[in-house]
Amino acid sequence: MSAEAHSPKRWNEKRKESLSGYLFISPFFILFAIFGLFPMLFSFYLGFQRWNGLGEMEFVGFQNFVFVMEDPIFWKSLWNTIIMGVLGTVPQLIVAIFLAFALNSALVKFQSAFRAAFFLPYVTSTVAVAIIFGVMFSSQDFGLVNVFFNLLGLDSVNWQTNEWGVKIAIAVMVFWRWLGYNTIIYLAGMQGIPNDLYEAATIDGATVWQKIRFITIPMLRPIIIFTIFLSTIGSLQLFTEPLIFLGGNLREEGITVVLYLWREAFSNMAFGTASASAIILFLIIIVFATVNSLLANKVFK
Amino acid sequence: MSNVISKISLYAVLVIGALLSIFPFYWMFVMATNHNSVINSVPPAYLPGPELVTNFQNVLSNIDFFGAIGNSLIVATISTIGVLFLCSLAGFAFAKYHFKGKNLLFGLLLITMMVPPQLGLIPQYYIITQLGWLNDLKAVIVPGLIDAFGIFWMRQYISSNVPDELLDSAKIDGCSRIRVYWNIAVPIILPAFATLAIIKFMYMWNDFLWPLVVLRDESVHTIQIALRGLIDAYVKDNGMILSGTFWATIPLVLIFLLFNRLFISSLTQGAVKS
């Protein structure tokens, strides 16, 4: 065989293999170059131009970035995004761990029925979720949440205009749609934890809370960090829920970073500042995803 | 005794969780079957009403519901089939062939998986206008064919499930490489196809931002964009809006309930493995 390795035939075979390799990946990579890679790189060019999408581009240096950084609405959108992200994901991940723990208990029957029920919201489109919850969180007295509030003797809330009302309503949508998804991911991780550990803890008289704190969470660490990473990235890209909930007139209480850049581009036709804000969003996502993963790494040690 | 209590509290947690997950679907059905005036009164309707048909007729007079469902089916089906083919072909090459720059190209893919899609949004829009694809389903289908995760997923699956010996013996029998891919590899990786197909189809069916940007004309609206049109309708009729949402949501929910094990494992496996 080794003699053959140097023969022309073998060499030819190797060349044919490379050629097939390139041929097999080329349909994908051609499309990827045009619709994936080029747009990403071109954004960095557009960020330095003034352009309305039709006329000539004009180089303006860092002006677009300065404009965005000095725009109070941009900072408002970043603040909103972060608050809604925290409200929508932190309670969600905590509840998901408890739900998964309950579901993983050996006592539970109908496990697959519960799994299907928890997962159902994730199959629903974000638009549908925003519409359904938008009606529940109607600012009118007949909105379901306000009816409930009135029953408790509380006043109706103007969910669509109240500074915190908007954020809570949107956070609830995020919470509802993703809770089951993360529960199932945690459950998959928990099924890998040996039952002996829990049994030993039970014999030692550990409470449920102690089992979660000292067995489940440390064993799930990589998965928890992964879900924090994904939730961070996902919540910084929040767009559909506030757009549907607030309708055409984007109110400042609910504008997010992606809504800001979408509005710059397609309402204001300011493609330069929109690109600049896309680049800033990209950097923010890198920073937050890194910091949150590092923090999670420390906390769950 | 304490065992009974812990069992009861366990079920209480699970049942409350399940009810909270299901309740919005029930509520959607209640509103889809009641007249707007009943919905907009205090207390609102808590039970299904008689307006199932009327509300849906109102949907049909506001948007081209079936046209939009059709557009969504076209977009999601074509891009899913395309992704299965392109990603398995490229994943096969990455898993089984040696060629220069392979690791570099694969690394490039992994990096772009981390980049948020909004970064390329504006240049992508510009390319679509230059190609004259605005208000054309191609504008969603063709960029939808790019799926870095799909290649990653296929490479992993092919590496660990398609044995080299099988490919070698097929080659000795004189099979061309494309035939080796099609006749030997594809039948083995069908389970990976099912997983990727579910992930991709759901993503395309539910996608909102990109279709919103490039499909402006009503005749090319996907169902998600059409639903948004219901909210902006002149008269805000919640019964009508929720009726449209209900009928747009139910097909996917039924398919999910039929194949819930496959769906759940596909949609979470993909996330965990990567």
Side-chain angles (χ1 to χ4, degrees):
Chain A
M1 271 317 255
S2 65
E4 208 191 347
H6 297 284
S7 73
K9 183 170 179 266
R10 172 79 188 149
W11 185 77
N12 199 19
E13 197 44 33
K14 259 185 130 170
R15 256 184 64 149
K16 268 182 164 166
E17 186 179 314
S18 318
L19 195 68
S20 309
Y22 292 127
L23 270 178
F24 282 16
I25 66 168
S26 58
F28 177 88
F29 269 91
I30 290 167
L31 287 174
F32 175 66
I34 300 170
F35 294 103
L37 196 59
F38 170 74
M40 281 177 205
L41 300 176
F42 196 61
S43 262
F44 285 92
Y45 176 82
L46 272 183
F48 295 93
Q49 311 288 322
R50 176 177 298 134
W51 188 43
N52 64 7
L54 298 167
E56 293 280 299
M57 294 180 199
E58 182 196 342
F59 178 77
V60 290
F62 280 94
Q63 257 183 44
N64 292 327
F65 293 90
V66 172
F67 174 85
V68 173
M69 301 298 268
E70 284 180 350
D71 185 354
I73 297 180
F74 172 77
W75 291 104
K76 180 77 180 148
S77 75
L78 181 60
W79 167 249
N80 290 345
T81 309
I82 292 170
I83 293 296
M84 289 190 254
V86 170
L87 288 178
T89 58
V90 175
Q92 177 207 332
L93 294 180
I94 294 170
V95 173
I97 288 195
F98 283 98
L99 271 185
F101 185 83
L103 206 51
N104 192 39
S105 160
L107 300 166
V108 170
K109 286 185 184 134
F110 315 114
Q111 203 201 47
S112 65
F114 279 121
R115 266 167 32 117
F118 292 163
F119 204 76
L120 203 52
Y122 182 71
V123 186
T124 320
S125 77
T126 318
V127 174
V129 173
I131 292 176
I132 301 167
F133 281 80
V135 179
M136 284 187 185
F137 281 95
S138 159
S139 299
Q140 311 289 330
D141 282 337
F142 52 74
L144 188 65
V145 182
N146 277 343
V147 168
F148 185 67
F149 269 40
N150 294 340
L151 277 179
L152 295 176
L154 300 165
D155 288 335
S156 293
V157 176
N158 278 327
W159 296 102
Q160 263 122 343
T161 52
N162 180 289
E163 180 73 37
W164 284 91
V166 169
K167 295 185 178 66
I168 290 169
I170 289 170
V172 168
M173 300 176 196
V174 174
F175 179 94
W176 184 76
R177 183 157 189 265
W178 289 91
L179 176 66
Y181 181 84
N182 284 308
T183 303
I184 302 294
I185 288 191
Y186 289 147
L187 178 66
M190 283 178 195
Q191 281 165 346
I193 301 174
N195 228 339
D196 318 6
L197 287 177
Y198 292 116
E199 279 163 18
T202 310
I203 292 166
D204 292 342
T207 61
V208 170
W209 168 245
Q210 283 171 328
K211 285 182 202 168
I212 294 179
R213 173 71 190 82
F214 295 108
I215 301 175
T216 313
I217 289 179
M219 295 289 279
L220 277 185
R221 213 184 111 205
I223 295 183
I224 293 176
I225 293 169
F226 169 75
T227 53
I228 290 175
F229 178 78
L230 274 195
S231 303
T232 306
I233 296 180
S235 51
L236 287 169
Q237 298 176 11
L238 200 63
F239 172 78
T240 307
E241 292 91 338
L243 181 66
I244 299 285
F245 186 54
L246 301 175
N249 50 331
L250 282 174
R251 297 185 57 95
E252 269 184 44
E253 290 84 359
I255 191 169
T256 62
V257 179
V258 178
L259 271 172
Y260 178 88
L261 90 82
W262 176 75
R263 191 180 66 167
E264 280 301 305
F266 303 108
S267 296
N268 301 345
M269 304 313 273
F271 285 83
T273 43
S275 298
S277 43
I279 295 165
I280 295 170
L281 171 68
F282 175 53
L283 298 176
I284 291 171
I285 289 180
I286 292 178
V287 170
F288 272 79
T290 316
V291 169
N292 282 2
S293 304
L294 288 177
L295 270 179
N297 218 344
K298 270 229 158 83
V299 170
F300 293 110
K301 220 166 198 165
Chain B
M1 186 60 197
S2 77
N3 205 358
V4 174
I5 293 173
S6 69
K7 199 166 179 175
I8 290 172
S9 53
L10 195 69
Y11 275 103
V13 168
L14 292 174
V15 168
I16 290 171
L19 286 180
L20 287 178
S21 292
I22 295 169
F23 177 74
F25 291 99
Y26 171 75
W27 190 244
M28 173 165 67
F29 183 66
V30 168
M31 288 191 283
T33 54
N34 274 297
H35 192 267
N36 199 39
S37 62
V38 180
I39 296 168
N40 293 356
S41 55
V42 186
Y46 294 110
L47 294 170
E51 305 291 333
L52 183 74
V53 177
T54 323
N55 280 340
F56 189 61
Q57 280 167 346
N58 290 336
V59 172
L60 295 184
S61 64
N62 270 292
I63 56 169
D64 181 6
F65 182 86
F66 293 108
I69 291 273
N71 287 336
S72 280
L73 276 177
I74 292 171
V75 164
T77 308
I78 297 180
S79 53
T80 301
I81 293 172
V83 156
L84 291 183
F85 177 67
L86 292 182
C87 291
S88 62
L89 195 63
F92 182 71
F94 277 121
K96 296 296 178 189
Y97 293 156
H98 297 281
F99 50 93
K100 246 191 200 155
K102 177 170 122 169
N103 293 333
L104 191 80
L105 288 170
F106 194 71
L108 186 71
L109 278 186
L110 290 188
I111 292 171
T112 57
M113 266 170 77
M114 303 287 166
V115 178
Q118 293 84 6
L119 182 62
L121 181 72
I122 289 141
Q124 259 175 355
Y125 169 75
Y126 178 63
I127 293 170
I128 294 298
T129 56
Q130 288 305 301
L131 290 170
W133 288 3
L134 213 59
N135 291 324
D136 187 326
L137 294 181
K138 281 200 292 265
V140 176
I141 295 171
V142 177
L145 295 174
I146 309 170
D147 194 322
F149 165 77
I151 293 200
F152 173 79
W153 172 251
M154 284 294 169
R155 189 191 83 140
Q156 298 289 87
Y157 196 88
I158 291 169
S159 296
S160 49
N161 290 286
V162 180
D164 286 333
E165 298 78 35
L166 208 60
L167 303 179
D168 289 341
S169 63
K171 220 169 66 193
I172 290 165
D173 290 347
C175 265
S176 67
R177 285 200 162 79
I178 191 80
R179 285 191 69 96
V180 171
Y181 155 78
W182 186 252
N183 291 349
I184 312 283
V186 167
I188 299 177
I189 60 176
L190 287 179
F193 273 18
T195 300
L196 185 57
I198 288 175
I199 295 174
K200 188 71 196 180
F201 191 91
M202 282 252 322
Y203 180 84
M204 296 304 290
W205 184 269
N206 289 339
D207 195 17
F208 180 66
L209 175 54
W210 180 242
L212 180 70
V213 167
V214 291
L215 303 178
R216 310 262 180 93
D217 192 81
E218 212 196 315
S219 64
V220 287
H221 277 178
T222 60
I223 186 64
Q224 309 303 336
I225 311 298
L227 286 181
R228 183 187 180 231
L230 287 182
I231 307 176
D232 294 340
Y234 186 64
V235 182
K236 196 168 161 60
D237 178 349
N238 282 333
M240 182 270 290
I241 294 172
L242 269 296
S243 172
T245 312
F246 177 79
W247 291 110
T249 306
I250 284 312
L252 213 56
V253 166
L254 288 180
I255 297 171
F256 165 74
L257 290 176
L258 277 178
F259 303 104
N260 72 76
R261 278 163 190 278
L262 181 66
F263 263 70
I264 294 174
S265 70
S266 298
L267 290 165
T268 52
Q269 217 178 34
V272 175
K273 290 267 167 66
S274 61

